[in-house]
């Protein structure tokens, strides 16, 4: 397999991590401002925990809350989104975003020490480590690409489907995905925003009343929001993850493979298309147990229609 194929998708995974950190951090700050009592873990610590010290900084140091919120909350979040956006063509911005998160991790460790290694921060530390691992891995992939992201994308998209005598690869095409409206990152972000809006909206009755009906409405809102998130995520997941997958034909068998880990392969025996939509092929296949299952293949892999029976 072509090494650029894997490095490019590892790099893209790091960009997605930056985007999710920015979104989840912003949501956490809103939840903290509303005193919701819970948080999302896939986020940066500094902006959220800074909100806890706004009053102390004003009382003890005379620092205006506006300055505290601007410098420690708004600017870091904006930087994460900026690094995500600009890293599309310049790998240095992924390095900057990673450095920013390393600072965040160091501050979280210091905070953990100051609160006597409180167990309440264990999950925050765990997810902070997972995010750092993903970002550093992506930075290394970007370095191996020598920062030539556009060149690597062109190479992958123009790559011949034939790699050796018995192997064909159908890789993700950004142009084809755009043409067929396969790229649904915006839709996924919309689903997340709607989920958070429904959850936060469900808290309103509890803020205005202590009656049992308010609690019931909150519970129903949370359940409805969760159901919406699960259904929405399931429906668009084949499209959101399309860039991280490819399809391979070897020795007459079809496999779906990971763009970031060549060891991750799923054999698709007896792959057949039963319906074609504007943005995907709806197919069935037999798994390793011989059980028939369904799979959605986005229209983003040039030539893949040739292997669908």
């Amino acid at each position: 397999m072509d090494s650029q194929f894997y490095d490019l998708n590892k790099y893209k995974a790091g960009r997605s991590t930056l985007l999710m950190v920015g979104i989840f951090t912003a949501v956490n700050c809103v939840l903290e401002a509303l005193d919701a009592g819970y948080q999302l873990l896939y986020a940066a610590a500094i902006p959220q925990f800074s909100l806890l010290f706004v009053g102390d900084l004003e009382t003890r140091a005379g620092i205006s809350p506006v300055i505290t919120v601007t410098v420690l909350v708004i600017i870091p979040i904006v930087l994460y989104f900026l690094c995500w956006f600009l890293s599309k063509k310049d790998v240095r911005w992924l390095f900057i975003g990673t450095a920013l998160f390393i600072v965040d991790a160091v501050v979280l460790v210091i905070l953990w020490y100051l609160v006597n290694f409180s167990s309440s921060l264990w999950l925050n530390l765990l997810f902070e480590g997972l995010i750092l691992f993903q970002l550093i891995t992506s930075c290394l992939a970007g370095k191996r690409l020598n920062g030539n992201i556009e060149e690597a994308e062109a190479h992958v998209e123009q790559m011949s489907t034939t790699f050796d005598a018995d192997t064909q690869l159908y890789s993700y095409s950004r142009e084809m995905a755009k043409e067929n409206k396969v790229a649904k990152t915006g839709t996924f972000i919309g689903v997340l925003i709607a989920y958070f809006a429904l959850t936060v909206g469900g808290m309103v009755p509890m803020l205005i009343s202590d009656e049992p009906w308010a609690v019931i409405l909150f519970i129903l809102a949370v359940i409805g929001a969760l159901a919406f998130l699960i259904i929405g995520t399931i429906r668009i997941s084949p499209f959101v993850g399309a860039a991280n997958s490819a399809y391979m034909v070897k020795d007459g068998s079809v496999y779906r493979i990971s763009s970031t880990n060549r060891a991750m392969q799923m054999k698709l025996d007896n792959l057949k298309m039963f319906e074609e939509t504007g943005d995907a092929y709806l197919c069935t296949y037999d798994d390793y147990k011989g059980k028939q299952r369904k799979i959605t293949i986005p229209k983003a892999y040039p030539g893949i229609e040739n292997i669908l029976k």
Side-chain angles (χ1 to χ4, degrees):
M1 293 294 178
D2 192 288
S3 61
Q4 282 191 324
F5 179 69
Y6 295 98
D7 287 335
L8 179 61
N9 284 282
K10 285 181 180 178
Y11 179 78
K12 289 181 177 180
R15 293 190 65 242
S16 298
T17 297
L18 277 182
L19 177 61
M20 297 309 298
V21 166
I23 293 172
F24 278 39
T25 303
V27 171
N28 272 354
C29 290
V30 173
L31 293 175
E32 183 62 40
L34 294 173
D35 196 22
Y38 63 92
Q39 61 175 303
L40 305 173
L41 292 170
Y42 205 78
I46 291 178
Q48 179 185 344
F49 289 115
S50 294
L51 291 174
L52 298 174
F53 301 102
V54 170
D56 287 340
L57 289 174
E58 182 180 18
T59 302
R60 300 181 181 182
I63 301 176
S64 168
V66 174
I67 295 177
T68 301
V69 172
T70 300
V71 174
L72 298 180
V73 180
I74 296 177
I75 290 179
I77 293 175
V78 170
L79 283 175
Y80 283 119
F81 284 116
L82 184 66
C83 289
W84 163 73
F85 180 75
L86 296 178
S87 63
K88 183 176 183 179
K89 296 182 179 180
D90 191 341
V91 69
R92 290 175 295 182
W93 284 99
L94 182 63
F95 294 160
I96 293 172
T98 301
L100 181 64
F101 200 81
I102 289 175
V103 172
D104 190 87
V106 171
V107 171
L108 182 60
V109 171
I110 294 174
L111 178 63
W112 184 48
Y113 168 76
L114 293 176
V115 295
N116 296 320
F117 305 104
S118 172
S119 59
S120 63
L121 292 179
W122 269 110
L123 284 177
N124 297 82
L125 289 163
L126 174 62
F127 275 84
E128 200 97 354
L130 291 174
I131 294 170
L132 266 182
F133 176 78
Q134 177 67 74
L135 290 175
I136 292 173
T137 300
S138 300
C139 284
L140 292 175
K143 185 177 181 181
R144 287 193 293 270
L145 292 172
N146 295 319
N148 299 320
I149 305 303
E150 290 183 303
E151 181 180 319
E153 287 179 334
H155 170 76
V156 170
E157 292 181 9
Q158 295 174 5
M159 199 187 312
S160 171
T161 57
T162 302
F163 279 80
D164 52 47
D166 59 357
T167 302
Q168 286 185 307
L169 182 72
Y170 299 90
S171 57
Y172 182 85
S173 167
R174 185 175 51 176
E175 281 74 19
M176 186 175 180
K178 183 177 181 180
E179 178 183 349
N180 294 313
K181 299 181 179 179
V182 167
K184 300 186 186 296
T185 301
T187 304
F188 179 59
I189 294 174
V191 168
L192 290 176
I193 293 174
Y195 163 69
F196 297 133
L198 288 171
T199 302
V200 174
M203 298 170 56
V204 174
M206 296 182 63
L207 295 175
I208 63 177
S209 175
D210 294 329
E211 297 295 326
W213 63 265
V215 178
I216 293 174
L217 285 178
F218 172 70
I219 294 174
L220 291 176
V222 171
I223 294 174
L226 183 60
F228 175 81
L229 177 64
I230 293 173
I231 295 173
T233 302
I234 290 175
R235 287 188 175 182
I236 65 175
S237 59
F239 301 95
V240 174
N244 296 322
S245 299
Y247 291 83
M248 178 177 71
V249 178
K250 185 174 183 179
D251 298 329
S253 297
V254 181
Y255 299 83
R256 186 175 69 176
I257 64 175
S258 167
S259 302
T260 57
N261 186 348
R262 64 188 71 190
M264 295 176 62
Q265 299 183 4
M266 182 174 72
K267 191 176 182 182
L268 307 174
D269 287 324
N270 198 27
L271 181 65
K272 296 180 180 179
M273 178 180 66
F274 66 86
E275 185 179 347
E276 180 179 354
T277 66
D279 55 11
Y281 302 106
L282 308 182
C283 306
T284 60
Y285 71 96
D286 297 333
D287 64 14
Y288 70 99
K289 293 182 179 180
K291 185 176 180 179
Q292 189 179 80
R293 298 187 178 277
K294 293 181 179 179
I295 185 173
T296 299
I297 302 178
K299 289 184 175 179
Y301 308 95
I304 197 169
E305 66 276 3
N306 296 326
I307 65 173
L308 302 178
K309 301 176 183 178

